Every structure is written in C-alpha cells, then in structure tokens.
Amino acid sequence: MAEIVDQEVRPKTAESYRSLVRLYIEPAIGARNLTEVTTADVRELHRFMRDAGLSASTVRLGHRVLAIALKQAHREGYTNRDVAALVKPPRPSSPTLTTLSREDAARLLQAVRGDRLESRWVAALLTGARQGELLGLELDRVADELDLSWQLQRLTWQHGCGQPCGRARGAECPDRRIVAPPDHERRHLAGGFWLTRPKTAAGTRRVPLVSPLRELVDARVAAAATEPNPYGLLWTSGAARSLGQPIDASADSRAWRQLTARAGVTGVRLHDARHFTVDLLYAAGVPEVVAMELIGHSSVAMTRRYRSGASPETLRRAMERSSGELVEPSPTR
C-alpha cells in the first residue's frame, strides 16, 4: 500500500483505501497467500462486504482496491495472473437524488437568519461550493469574487519513525509525517487541518460575489476582524473550546442537520445544496458550460447529472406551450 498507493493518490483517498483493506479485505481473504488468491476469493470479498450491509458502490470500491494490489503483484511477477481482472466488479447502485426545493431553501434561509454563520449556509445554497472549499476560504481570497483555489481537509498523520516509537497513533509520533504524492500541494494550519489544492484544475475557480450573498459576506469579514482568527479564515468555530479554529467537517455537517431540523426540512444532505445550485442555474437559463465552470465540474455531463430534473409545473408549462403550436386547420368550404 505504502509503495503503490501513497505515492500515486491523494492522502484522503489513500486513507479510504487503507480503511477498506483493514476492515474488509484482510478479514475476508487476508489469510490467503498472495499466490493462492483465486476468483472465488474475489467474489468472497464481494459477499463479505454485502453481508456487512455496505452499498453496491462501496463493494465496488473494495473490489477496486483489491484489483490495484493484485494487478501490481502480477506486474512485478509475484503471481502468474491477475485474478481480479477475471471477475466483473459489482454493478454500481443507481443514485437516489434528493432534491432541495425552493420552498425548502426559503425555510432554511429563514431559520438561519441572524446566525453567526448565516453567510456560510447562504454561500452553500447560492454558490454550490463544496464543503471544504467554503470552510477553507481565507479572508485574503474574498473580494469581488470568492477565490476557491484551496480547500480545508483533515489529513491523517502517519508514523515517520524508523523503528517503533511506542505511540499508537501516528499523530503522536515525534517524527510524524503526511504521506502524499510529490505533486500534492498543501499548507498546514493546525493539528490535522490542512489547506490543499482541489483534485482537478476545474475545481480551482473564482465565483463572483453578488447580492444578497455579498452583503452577508461583507458583514462576516467585518466580524472576523474582531474575533480570534489565527489562520485568517472567513468562517471559524464559535465554540468556547475551539474559538477561532478551523471548523471540522463533521461539526459542520452536524450543524447543517440541526439547521434542517429547525427549518423542518428532512432528508437533505449538505451536499444536496450543491444540486440545488445547479437547479437554480438551469432555471435561470445559464448556459451549461458556464454552469459547469461555476460549480467546478470537469465536464458538462457531470453538471447534467447534478440536475434534479424539471418540476411538475415546469413540465406542465412546456406541454402547454408545445400543444399551443398545434393549430387545427381551418374548415374547408
């Protein structure tokens, strides 16, 4: 894993791979010698993960991680064949798109009005920016545009000691380090908090700051100047124990769930706000290529997948317009 994955994928991706190996691949087939792994063992991993109640997409990811290891083992001559390539990966499950209606959004805006981080939630609805992009937004990247060129992530420290240091966690190792590919750009803030570059060039973008978000952000910038803010972030924790510190993604997601409950909006994830922004852009008649750039997608096809579809009222108006084009011929005399 360290030799193959850590030098080729981003730290968060490598961490998810390690978790899949530890929790599922090793318990399912870890007792088998590498040269003894068969197609039946690959299918056993699928069954083991399904029995654990995991989604088809997660089982598919487990297959991918195992396939990476077995393919590399075959390349380096440890095995005579790549058995994972002989087994079809599980079919991905069809995603269920939860839509956030305009009425839901209005209730959220009403519920959050006057909140210390009101602008953070309005930004999620109007810009469609990812969670880490907003939580990592620095004051010096806020002007007439929001410069979304960095994102906040919590990375896991790895042991850097040449021999066991006696600490269980990598974060406690005196020689702790972050393992990442050479081209991985990052800036350390505190503890496990880092600012990292987006995965793709499309993720690096500037979103124009317009009303009503502009007024809310301006007020937040002014408030941030009066608060503890050692890292110069636009939005920071307001909790007594972590005042002025970066907002952890789990705490941010928890605050979103509390907000939706307060507003009476159920079953909507924070990421669904991103889908809502795409719907707004389509409803406003924004060209797809422009919507793609604003959202930070690498293709128009991806932006289309984020669209929830036309509302029943929109479909009705479309049918009425098209039906109006059918003109009955005048009766002949």
Side-chain angles (χ1 to χ4, degrees):
M1 176 69 75
E3 294 180 2
I4 302 171
V5 172
D6 287 340
Q7 299 304 315
E8 295 183 6
V9 302
R10 296 167 65 87
K12 294 293 288 186
T13 303
E15 183 181 343
S16 69
Y17 285 7
R18 280 191 289 269
S19 295
L20 287 168
V21 170
R22 184 180 69 256
L23 296 175
Y24 305 110
I25 296 177
E26 287 183 349
I29 62 173
R32 303 283 289 179
N33 290 327
L34 184 61
T35 56
E36 298 174 348
V37 176
T38 65
T39 55
D41 293 317
V42 178
R43 295 190 184 94
E44 170 61 21
L45 172 64
H46 297 175
R47 184 200 62 77
F48 183 86
M49 296 183 72
R50 286 195 301 269
D51 290 350
L54 300 176
S55 68
S57 296
T58 304
V59 178
R60 186 180 178 89
L61 182 57
H63 176 97
R64 171 175 167 75
V65 174
L66 178 61
I68 290 173
L70 293 180
K71 184 176 184 178
Q72 189 66 26
H74 179 59
R75 282 176 175 173
E76 297 186 14
Y78 292 104
T79 60
N80 293 325
R81 59 177 181 166
D82 177 7
V83 296
L86 304 177
V87 181
K88 288 186 177 181
R91 297 180 63 179
S93 54
S94 300
T96 300
L97 182 60
T98 303
T99 59
L100 181 68
S101 68
R102 296 191 188 188
E103 292 74 17
D104 290 336
R107 287 198 292 270
L108 289 171
L109 294 177
Q110 179 64 35
V112 80
R113 187 163 297 162
D115 188 89
R116 174 177 175 270
L117 298 183
E118 176 183 2
S119 56
R120 185 265 175 274
W121 304 120
V122 177
L125 293 171
L126 295 183
T127 70
R130 300 173 180 87
Q131 183 182 43
E133 293 171 339
L134 291 178
L135 296 184
L137 189 57
E138 298 165 289
L139 293 171
D140 61 6
R141 289 189 282 116
V142 178
D144 292 334
E145 301 170 317
L146 300 180
D147 177 359
L148 303 179
S149 55
W150 295 89
Q151 59 186 343
L152 182 70
Q153 287 191 322
R154 182 182 282 278
L155 303 182
T156 301
W157 291 99
Q158 303 295 323
H159 279 276
C161 47
Q163 55 187 4
C165 62
R167 274 83 167 185
R169 298 169 60 242
E172 299 169 349
C173 176
D175 300 316
R176 66 182 186 177
R177 58 177 182 152
I178 297 295
V179 180
D183 60 350
H184 182 253
E185 290 187 72
R186 60 189 181 275
R187 292 189 280 134
H188 187 221
L189 295 184
F193 288 116
W194 295 76
L195 290 178
T196 68
R197 290 292 192 186
K199 286 192 296 185
T200 65
T204 300
R205 63 201 186 281
R206 295 176 180 271
V207 177
L209 191 55
V210 300
S211 184
L213 179 59
R214 183 180 190 117
E215 290 76 14
L216 292 172
V217 168
D218 286 345
R220 177 61 208 151
V221 169
T226 68
E227 300 173 349
N229 196 354
Y231 308 108
L233 297 172
L234 178 60
W235 294 293
T236 60
S237 172
R241 294 180 58 184
S242 57
L243 186 63
Q245 295 295 306
I247 300 175
D248 185 77
S250 60
D252 187 63
S253 296
R254 185 166 56 250
W256 170 262
R257 291 192 295 271
Q258 293 169 349
L259 170 60
T260 55
R262 196 161 69 245
V265 177
T266 60
V268 177
R269 308 163 303 164
L270 177 54
H271 191 74
D272 294 325
R274 193 161 157 80
H275 294 269
F276 174 75
T277 307
V278 172
D279 284 344
L280 285 184
L281 293 170
Y282 271 102
V286 175
E288 285 187 322
V289 68
V290 177
M292 176 193 76
E293 292 183 12
L294 288 172
I295 294 296
H297 285 153
S298 57
S299 69
V300 168
M302 175 63 74
T303 304
R304 288 173 181 166
R305 287 199 290 271
Y306 268 59
R307 188 182 184 184
S308 64
S311 66
E313 183 59 30
T314 300
L315 295 175
R316 177 178 294 278
R317 289 198 300 268
M319 287 301 297
E320 289 173 347
R321 288 197 301 269
S322 62
S323 297
E325 295 298 318
L326 180 61
V327 180
E328 294 185 7
S330 301
T332 57
R333 293 183 180 181

